[in-house]
Amino acid sequence: MPAQYGPKERAESESKERVLPTNRARAGIELHRMRYVLGFGIAGVVIVFLLAWYFLIRV
């Protein structure tokens, strides 16, 4: 039984451009909430390092 598609047909189908709807093309998280998570995380790390410096080195 012959294969359904040969190498030529596979190469042609892989090179065709796919057009997806906007919602499917994004397929990820929206970045407007991500910036707050990143900001709070960086602020938390800075605060922890400042507290560690204050209590471990200054005292």
Side-chain angles (χ1 to χ4, degrees):
M1 183 180 215
Q4 187 176 6
Y5 296 107
K8 183 179 178 185
E9 288 81 14
R10 256 181 283 158
E12 287 176 0
S13 67
E14 290 174 358
S15 65
K16 290 181 183 176
E17 185 178 334
R18 294 182 183 181
V19 178
L20 298 174
T22 306
N23 291 339
R24 294 229 21 221
R26 286 186 187 143
I29 61 172
E30 295 182 15
L31 295 178
H32 66 275
R33 291 185 183 159
M34 193 66 168
R35 80 176 71 147
Y36 296 116
V37 172
L38 181 62
F40 288 129
I42 291 173
V45 168
V46 169
I47 291 170
V48 166
F49 275 111
L50 287 174
L51 290 173
W53 174 78
Y54 182 74
F55 286 113
L56 296 175
I57 297 175
R58 297 275 300 185
V59 175

